[in-house]
Amino acid sequence: MDKLLELLEENGRLPVKELAAALEMSEEEIREKIQDYEKNGVIKGYRAVINRRNLPEPPDSVTGLIEVDIAPQPDTGFDEIAREIYDHPEVKACYLCSGDYDLLVRIEAENLNEIAEFVSRELAPLKNVHKTESHFMLKTYKEAGVNFEAPSQDRRLSISP
Amino acid sequence: MIEISDTVASLKPSGIREFFDLVMGMDDVISLGVGEPDFATPWHIREAAIQSIEDGFTNYTSNKGMTELRNALSEHLDSEHNLNYDPEDEILITTGVSEGMDIAMRALLNPGDEVIIPTPCYVSYLPTAKMAGGKVKILNTAKNDFKIDHNQLEELISPRTKLLVLNYPSNPTGVTYGKQELDKIAELVRKHELIVISDEIYGHLTYNHEHYPFPTLESMREQTIFLNGYSKSCAMTGMRIAYAAAPPKIIAAMNKIHQYTMLCAPTTSQFAAVEATRHGADAIKEMKGEYERRRNLVHNRLNEMGLDCPLPEGAFYAFPSVKKTGFEPEDFCRKLLAEHSVAAVPGDAFGPGGETHIRISYATGFQKLREALSRMEEFVNEHSAHTAGSTG
Ligand SMILES: Cc1ncc(COP(=O)(O)O)c(C=O)c1O
């Protein structure tokens, strides 16, 4: 992958000036490349990675990971059914997977009830959904490549020749 | 009363040790003072070491090192640099380049023989030469952008000069040499029949520069002890494994010392080194790409904050001047550490020539490096106010 993308994926807020320095390109070139990536849909957005547990008053929130077993459709395969699911704003992520189930859906809600209702009202009744299995997330160790726990220790001596 | 030998008693304590003690007591320090990679040893290399232990290979190897490793190295040097070293009697596996340097000097020096050491240099060279009975002749490179000046070198050479120590890319300056510059040095080595100990431990880490091992230069193979290892290129510092390649007479002499002081290099590490030699290239390339980006950033930011720093050509060090700040490097580093929790090493820890510089290691993750550089910039700005009058 382009080094520019690697750096931005690690930190979307790196100043153009520093990107230019690190990659030995002009600031103009960096700006153009980023614009191209944005236009072509390679860069889909810039978000903050939030660790809610660190808020002074962590909000009530529950994340559910729902495995969904589906019967694919003759023309559209999984895509149409997936769309019906991921169009719901509660769905934060949706992946087609190989293995025992087909879709993995991440849902965020205020409490367990809301997730249960979403599954029973919106997911399970869909015509081609055979089966769902819900998991509730207990703790986030790492999100979007960011470690939420204490950083792993640098084992090196702090000064060496 | 216990009396330490005069030679050892006369060795100066390392300037780095002092900073280490200072940093030890502090929290939240970002250290740019680390002379080893921040990467973990590539997994396949660690796995080879683990496998060898599981298989029970935990005995001594031959003094010279495992045949398989010497063969792998011989093939590697041939394919990479067209260098031919016989694995039987021209390659010795050592416990780090540190050992290689020590036994090379001890194998060659008689008391009073002169050793030319360009400085600033890696901290072990001067004490190692002294312990081997050599008389150190310092070649201070500060006036020549930290490169060896051919004329200055020739002036230092006397009938008693036996050894010239080279290290490129350099710790601490990040300087390396092109072919023509090396040819000029080789010419003097040939003319005055010197022997070169060439520490090329950072040889894989050059940026936009090809690396020319000293023995590849015309006729230099016969006058060079080529030292290289896995510590830096493969992030294997703790494995203590390296090698020396030289003509048979020298290797035999070095092996004589090695067999009594070391017996053999660590066996587990030799297995890791076989894997690293045969299959390490991709991992090396990846780490090098990462260092290069950091180098560019460090170079750019240091100059922007007013610390003059030429573009480092290799290794993972930048060696900026702190002269403009009005601080001696030692004070600069102490204050920077106390006020902004960033550690760097004063340039004079590396011998004559580093009196106005500091060493910055960029073996630190990109984001951390940015944070450290921002803190440094703040520090420089805060303190430039009171020197502004003198620097305009
Ligand atoms: C120039 C140079 N030579 C030798 C060494 C030591 O290497 P080894 O780990 O192989 O003993 C270092 C380590 O910092 C170094 O920078």
Side-chain angles (χ1 to χ4, degrees):
Chain A
M1 197 166 69
D2 184 357
K3 297 294 175 201
L4 173 62
L5 289 176
E6 276 179 25
L7 285 172
L8 285 174
E9 196 169 39
E10 208 179 293
N11 180 354
R13 285 169 42 123
L14 278 178
V16 169
K17 209 177 78 183
E18 287 179 31
L19 289 167
L23 301 174
E24 295 182 285
M25 290 162 73
S26 72
E27 293 185 26
E28 198 43 48
E29 281 175 294
I30 296 282
R31 259 186 229 107
E32 265 172 31
K33 267 185 110 169
I34 293 180
Q35 265 172 14
D36 281 349
Y37 281 134
E38 289 171 350
K39 259 197 224 130
N40 302 339
V42 175
I43 293 180
K44 298 292 281 185
Y46 304 87
R47 298 292 173 86
V49 180
I50 295 172
N51 186 352
R52 290 181 164 69
R53 261 193 307 151
N54 284 353
L55 283 166
E57 288 170 47
D60 291 328
S61 84
V62 181
T63 301
L65 289 174
I66 324 287
E67 302 169 1
V68 189
D69 190 1
I70 303 180
Q73 295 309 290
D75 295 333
T76 56
F78 294 101
D79 296 349
E80 264 316 305
I81 310 159
R83 179 189 300 280
E84 277 184 63
I85 294 172
Y86 66 68
D87 269 350
H88 288 282
E90 301 91 324
V91 174
K92 298 298 174 194
C94 180
Y95 311 97
L96 179 63
C97 306
S98 66
D100 285 347
Y101 57 90
D102 303 302
L103 292 183
L104 180 65
V105 178
R106 196 172 87 218
I107 297 173
E108 268 159 39
E110 278 186 16
N111 50 49
L112 288 183
N113 249 348
E114 278 186 16
I115 291 187
E117 279 198 11
F118 181 84
V119 173
S120 58
R121 291 212 181 135
E122 308 288 347
L123 273 186
L126 286 176
K127 199 158 77 234
N128 299 302
V129 168
H130 289 321
K131 198 178 113 195
T132 65
E133 191 164 330
S134 304
H135 307 269
F136 296 100
M137 242 148 69
L138 302 178
K139 184 173 179 183
T140 304
Y141 293 106
K142 193 173 187 179
E143 178 77 48
V146 180
N147 194 350
F148 279 14
E149 295 288 286
S152 16
Q153 235 182 333
D154 192 341
R155 297 188 182 84
R156 298 176 299 165
L157 298 175
S158 48
I159 302 275
S160 58
Chain B
M1 205 37 214
I2 298 168
E3 287 220 20
I4 304 300
S5 86
D6 293 343
T7 314
V8 172
S10 74
L11 295 178
K12 273 194 281 182
S14 154
I16 278 186
R17 180 76 221 175
E18 199 184 324
F19 264 83
F20 177 70
D21 292 339
L22 275 177
V23 175
M24 276 310 278
M26 296 179 61
D27 288 336
D28 190 34
V29 172
I30 303 181
S31 182
L32 306 182
V34 189
E36 60 177 319
D38 55 315
F39 303 104
T41 309
W43 176 247
H44 64 105
I45 297 175
R46 281 186 271 165
E47 208 166 29
I50 294 166
Q51 188 64 50
S52 75
I53 291 179
E54 286 190 350
D55 292 344
F57 288 116
T58 51
N59 16 32
Y60 297 131
T61 69
S62 78
N63 297 135
K64 289 183 284 194
M66 281 160 45
T67 310
E68 197 186 345
L69 178 53
R70 283 179 286 117
N71 284 342
L73 276 167
S74 177
E75 285 161 27
H76 168 82
L77 289 170
D78 185 18
S79 69
E80 189 138 309
H81 301 296
N82 209 4
L83 273 171
N84 291 303
Y85 283 102
D86 187 338
E88 267 316 297
D89 56 6
E90 294 185 314
I91 294 177
L92 176 68
I93 309 303
T94 61
T95 305
V97 165
S98 305
E99 192 217 350
M101 181 61 70
D102 178 33
I103 62 178
M105 289 193 182
R106 285 202 275 157
L108 287 162
L109 291 173
N110 280 312
D113 281 347
E114 291 175 5
V115 186
I116 297 180
I117 302 183
T119 62
C121 68
Y122 179 56
V123 295
S124 85
Y125 298 167
L126 304 179
T128 304
K130 279 183 199 150
M131 283 190 284
K135 195 165 164 215
V136 172
K137 292 280 173 178
I138 299 267
L139 197 168
N140 184 336
T141 60
K143 286 213 182 68
N144 195 40
D145 299 329
F146 300 114
K147 287 199 170 184
I148 295 168
D149 174 67
H150 174 254
N151 296 323
Q152 198 185 350
L153 173 58
E154 183 144 37
E155 274 166 29
L156 269 184
I157 298 173
S158 83
R160 291 234 53 181
T161 307
K162 180 134 191 200
L163 292 177
L164 167 65
V165 177
L166 295 179
N167 168 225
Y168 63 97
S170 153
N171 176 7
T173 64
V175 160
T176 194
Y177 295 90
K179 175 89 165 52
Q180 285 182 347
E181 296 165 308
L182 291 170
D183 279 337
K184 276 186 150 184
I185 298 171
E187 197 183 300
L188 290 179
V189 171
R190 217 168 12 249
K191 180 170 156 197
H192 297 278
E193 298 180 358
L194 308 181
I195 291 173
V196 167
I197 304 181
S198 196
D199 175 352
E200 302 184 28
I201 194 165
Y202 296 100
H204 281 103
L205 299 175
T206 58
Y207 314 109
N208 315 326
H209 281 259
E210 192 164 339
H211 180 74
Y212 301 94
F214 206 75
T216 61
L217 306 171
E218 193 196 331
S219 79
M220 283 301 104
R221 185 191 176 287
E222 300 313 310
Q223 281 167 261
T224 304
I225 304 174
F226 175 70
L227 301 180
N228 203 344
Y230 301 85
S231 287
K232 315 294 173 166
S233 60
C234 294
M236 287 166 63
T237 42
M239 293 216 174
R240 314 304 310 124
I241 188 84
Y243 62 94
K249 194 168 170 187
I250 296 179
I251 289 295
M254 287 170 69
N255 193 23
K256 248 186 187 173
I257 310 172
H258 174 79
Q259 69 179 322
Y260 296 126
T261 58
M262 204 59 66
L263 212 164
C264 68
T267 303
T268 311
S269 307
Q270 293 192 50
F271 277 92
V274 170
E275 175 66 19
T277 309
R278 292 207 190 282
H279 308 292
D282 289 346
I284 292 175
K285 195 168 151 221
E286 190 158 317
M287 291 188 268
K288 180 174 146 175
E290 184 64 37
Y291 290 131
E292 185 168 358
R293 257 172 282 159
R294 300 175 187 173
R295 168 199 74 151
N296 297 338
L297 179 79
V298 167
H299 170 249
N300 179 278
R301 297 284 306 270
L302 287 174
N303 283 296
E304 242 178 40
M305 68 180 83
L307 303 183
D308 292 337
C309 177
L311 186 64
E313 298 160 331
F316 37 65
Y317 307 105
F319 204 60
S321 164
V322 295
K323 201 167 176 181
K324 278 193 187 152
T325 64
F327 286 125
E328 301 282 313
E330 165 115 24
D331 290 338
F332 184 96
C333 291
R334 277 180 187 278
K335 282 203 160 65
L336 177 65
L337 180 61
E339 294 170 18
H340 289 277
S341 301
V342 173
V345 180
D348 38 8
F350 304 96
E355 294 83 358
T356 54
H357 290 69
I358 62 171
R359 189 192 73 176
I360 302 280
S361 157
Y362 48 89
T364 291
F366 196 84
Q367 306 303 335
K368 245 189 176 172
L369 202 54
R370 294 182 63 234
E371 166 69 21
L373 288 162
S374 298
R375 293 190 197 176
M376 276 181 77
E377 185 167 14
E378 220 173 294
F379 174 80
V380 171
N381 287 341
E382 283 162 13
H383 290 279
S384 68
H386 75 88
T387 54
S390 56
T391 57

